[in-house]
C-alpha cells in the first residue's frame, strides 16, 4: 500500500559535489509545487541525530543554483552506523512528522539510507552526488562534469609551464577506485598517458609511452594519474621516471580538493534539477530505496543495492581513442 506523504526531509552526505545546491533547490521547490512541507537536515546524518532540522520554503533556496558546496553542510557520522544512533534519528523525524527522505550523496550515504529505510519502513530516494561518477544507474553523477572541467582548466595552465621549460608533469586527480575523471580529462587535454585504478599497468607501459612521445617530438609532456592507481604513489612514479630518464625534468602537481569546489557547470545544474524533481515525484508515486538517475536522457530509478554494488566498467573506447590521439 502506497504511503501518504505530506512532509519530506532532504540532506547531503559524504563528500561535497558541485550541483548539490541545485539539487536541494529542486527538491524544495518541487515539494512546494506539490504542496508538501520540506525540511532541510543540516550536516548530514549527524545533523539528523542532533536534531539540526529546519523547514524550508521556495524562497529559502533562492540564489543557490550557481553555488558550489552544499548549504545544508555535510559530514560523516559514525553514530549513524549504530542502531541507537539511527533510532534517535528516526525519533527526530517523527517530531517533525517527516514522512520520507531525499538523500544527496554517494554509495556510503545510500548504504546508510538503505538500512534506515528497512529498519523504520521510511520511504527514501537518493540523488547521486559524487564527482567520481562511480554509481551504477546513471550516466552522470552530480559534480562529475564540473570536476572534469576544473581539471581541464588546471591542466591547460600547467601545460603552459610544461612547454615553456620542456618539463614532464604528472598531474594527480581524484579517483580512489574510479578512473573516470582521469580518463576523460586525459583525453580532453591531449595527455601523453593516463594511469588508472582499473588498469593493472606495469611501469614499462609508461616508459614506452614516454619514449614514443619523444620519438614523435611531442611537446605536450603531461601524464594524468588517478590517485587510486595500481602502479604506485604519484611521487614514486615520478621518481622512477627521473631515475630512468635523467634528462626529463619531472614535476608532480596534485589537484586535490580543487576538484570539489567551484560553481557547477550547466550540465550539473540541469541534471540536479531533473533529479530533484524526479526524487519528489518518485516518492509521491510510492518508490523507495532507489536512486534517481539519468540514462540516455531518461529518468530511471535503480535500487540502492544495485547502485552501490554494481560496478561501472571503464569506457575502453575512450581509452583506445586516447591512446590513438596521444602520438
Amino acid at each position: 500500500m502506497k504511503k501518504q506523504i505530506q512532509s519530506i526531509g532532504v540532506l547531503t552526505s559524504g563528500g561535497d559535489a558541485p550541483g548539490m545546491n541545485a539539487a536541494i533547490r529542486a527538491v524544495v521547490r518541487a515539494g512546494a509545487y506539490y504542496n508538501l512541507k520540506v525540511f532541510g537536515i543540516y550536516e548530514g546524518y549527524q545533523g539528523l541525530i542532533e536534531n539540526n532540522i529546519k523547514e524550508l520554503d521556495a524562497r529559502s533556496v533562492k540564489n543557490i543554483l550557481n553555488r558550489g558546496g552544499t548549504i545544508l553542510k555535510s559530514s560523516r557520522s559514525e553514530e549513524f552506523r549504530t542502531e541507537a544512533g539511527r533510532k534517535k534519528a528516526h525519533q527526530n523525524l517523527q517530531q517533525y512528522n517527516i514522512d520520507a527522505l531525499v538523500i544527496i550523496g554517494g554509495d556510503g550515504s545510500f548504504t546508510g539510507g538503505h538500512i534506515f529505510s528497512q529498519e523504520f519502513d521510511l520511504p527514501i530516494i537518493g540523488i547521486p552526488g559524487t564527482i567520481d561518477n562511480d554509481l551504477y544507474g546513471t550516466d552522470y553523477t552530480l559534480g562529475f562534469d564540473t570536476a572534469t572541467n576544473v581539471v581541464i582548466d588546471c591542466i591547460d595552465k600547467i601545460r603552459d609551464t610544461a612547454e615553456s621549460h620542456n618539463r614532464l608533469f604528472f598531474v594527480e586527480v581524484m579517483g580512489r577506485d574510479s578512473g573516470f575523471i582521469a580518463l576523460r580529462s586525459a583525453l580532453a587535454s591531449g595527455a601523453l598517458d593516463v594511469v588508472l585504478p582499473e588498469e593493472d599497468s606495469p611501469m614499462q607501459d609508461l616508459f614506452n609511452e614516454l619514449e614514443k612521445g619523444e620519438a614523435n617530438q611531442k611537446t605536450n609532456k603531461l601524464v594524468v594519474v588517478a590517485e587510486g592507481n595500481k602502479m604506485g604513489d604519484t611521487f614514486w612514479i615520478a621518481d622512477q621516471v627521473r631515475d630512468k630518464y635523467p634528462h626529463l625534468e619531472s614535476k608532480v602537481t596534485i589537484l586535490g580538493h580543487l576538484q570539489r569546489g567551484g560553481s557547477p557547470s550547466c550540465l550539473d545544474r540541469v541534471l540536479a534539477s531533473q533529479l530533484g524533481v524526479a526524487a519528489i515525484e518518485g516518492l509521491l508515486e510510492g518508490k523507495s530505496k532507489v536512486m534517481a538517475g539519468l540514462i540516455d536522457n531518461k529518468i530511471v530509478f535503480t535500487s540502492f543495492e544495485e547502485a552501490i554494488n554494481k560496478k561501472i566498467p571503464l569506457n575502453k573506447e575512450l581509452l583506445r581513442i586516447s591512446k590513438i590521439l596521444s602520438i
Side-chain angles (χ1 to χ4, degrees), residues 88-133:
K88 188 176 178 182
H90 185 250
Q91 288 170 345
N92 289 334
L93 288 180
Q94 290 180 310
Q95 179 183 330
Y96 293 91
N97 296 314
I98 294 174
D99 306 308
L101 283 180
V102 174
I103 297 169
I104 307 167
D107 56 358
S109 305
F110 294 163
T111 298
H114 186 246
I115 295 169
F116 196 48
S117 178
Q118 286 183 315
E119 286 180 337
F120 299 101
D121 191 28
L122 182 74
I124 296 179
I125 287 184
I127 294 176
T130 168
I131 66 170
D132 290 329
N133 203 45

Side-chain angles (χ1 to χ4, degrees), residues 206-259:
L206 176 58
F207 292 160
N208 292 342
E209 291 300 320
L210 292 173
E211 290 172 8
K212 185 173 72 175
E214 285 210 296
N216 292 335
Q217 298 182 320
K218 188 173 174 69
T219 59
N220 183 0
K221 294 187 178 69
L222 289 163
V223 176
V224 179
V225 181
E227 61 180 331
N229 77 87
K230 294 183 176 70
M231 191 179 289
D233 175 81
T234 308
F235 286 100
W236 180 85
I237 293 172
D239 285 341
Q240 304 311 300
V241 171
R242 288 191 196 99
D243 289 343
K244 187 168 180 65
Y245 307 104
H247 66 285
L248 288 177
E249 188 179 354
S250 302
K251 301 290 184 181
V252 173
T253 298
I254 298 177
L255 298 185
H257 286 82
L258 277 173
Q259 296 157 87

Side-chain angles (χ1 to χ4, degrees), residues 8 27 102 125-127 274-284 292 301:
I8 290 175
V27 168
V102 174
I125 287 184
I127 294 176
Q274 290 175 285
L275 298 184
V277 172
I280 292 294
E281 292 180 341
L283 287 170
L284 292 175
F301 292 94

Side-chain angles (χ1 to χ4, degrees), residues 271-302:
L271 179 63
S273 301
Q274 290 175 285
L275 298 184
V277 172
I280 292 294
E281 292 180 341
L283 287 170
L284 292 175
E285 291 166 5
K287 292 181 173 61
S288 181
K289 297 192 283 292
V290 295
M291 180 192 80
L294 195 73
I295 297 179
D296 294 334
N297 289 317
K298 294 179 181 177
I299 295 293
V300 296
F301 292 94
T302 303

Side-chain angles (χ1 to χ4, degrees), residues 155-190:
I155 290 178
D156 286 347
K157 291 178 171 64
I158 290 169
R159 182 189 289 109
D160 293 341
T161 292
E163 293 187 353
S164 295
H165 296 273
N166 199 28
R167 289 170 177 161
L168 169 63
F169 269 85
F170 293 91
V171 182
E172 182 182 292
V173 300
M174 284 185 169
R176 190 171 50 213
D177 303 304
S178 162
F180 289 99
I181 291 176
L183 177 54
R184 191 164 288 255
S185 59
L187 177 57
S189 64

Side-chain angles (χ1 to χ4, degrees), residues 48-158:
L48 190 52
I49 291 170
E50 295 175 358
N51 202 16
N52 193 356
I53 301 170
K54 185 170 71 174
E55 187 171 358
L56 303 174
D57 60 26
R59 301 280 71 79
S60 301
V61 291
K62 66 180 182 181
N63 300 328
I64 69 168
L65 183 66
N66 62 323
R67 288 172 58 183
T70 163
I71 62 164
L72 293 179
K73 311 296 184 185
S74 185
S75 68
R76 304 186 191 276
S77 175
E78 289 300 319
E79 192 175 355
F80 193 77
R81 296 176 184 268
T82 69
E83 190 175 338
R86 293 190 297 273
K87 185 176 180 181
K88 188 176 178 182
H90 185 250
Q91 288 170 345
N92 289 334
L93 288 180
Q94 290 180 310
Q95 179 183 330
Y96 293 91
N97 296 314
I98 294 174
D99 306 308
L101 283 180
V102 174
I103 297 169
I104 307 167
D107 56 358
S109 305
F110 294 163
T111 298
H114 186 246
I115 295 169
F116 196 48
S117 178
Q118 286 183 315
E119 286 180 337
F120 299 101
D121 191 28
L122 182 74
I124 296 179
I125 287 184
I127 294 176
T130 168
I131 66 170
D132 290 329
N133 203 45
D134 59 351
L135 286 168
Y136 179 85
T138 187
D139 288 337
Y140 297 105
T141 59
L142 297 186
F144 173 66
D145 185 66
T146 304
T148 51
N149 286 333
V150 168
V151 170
I152 291 302
D153 184 56
C154 291
I155 290 178
D156 286 347
K157 291 178 171 64
I158 290 169

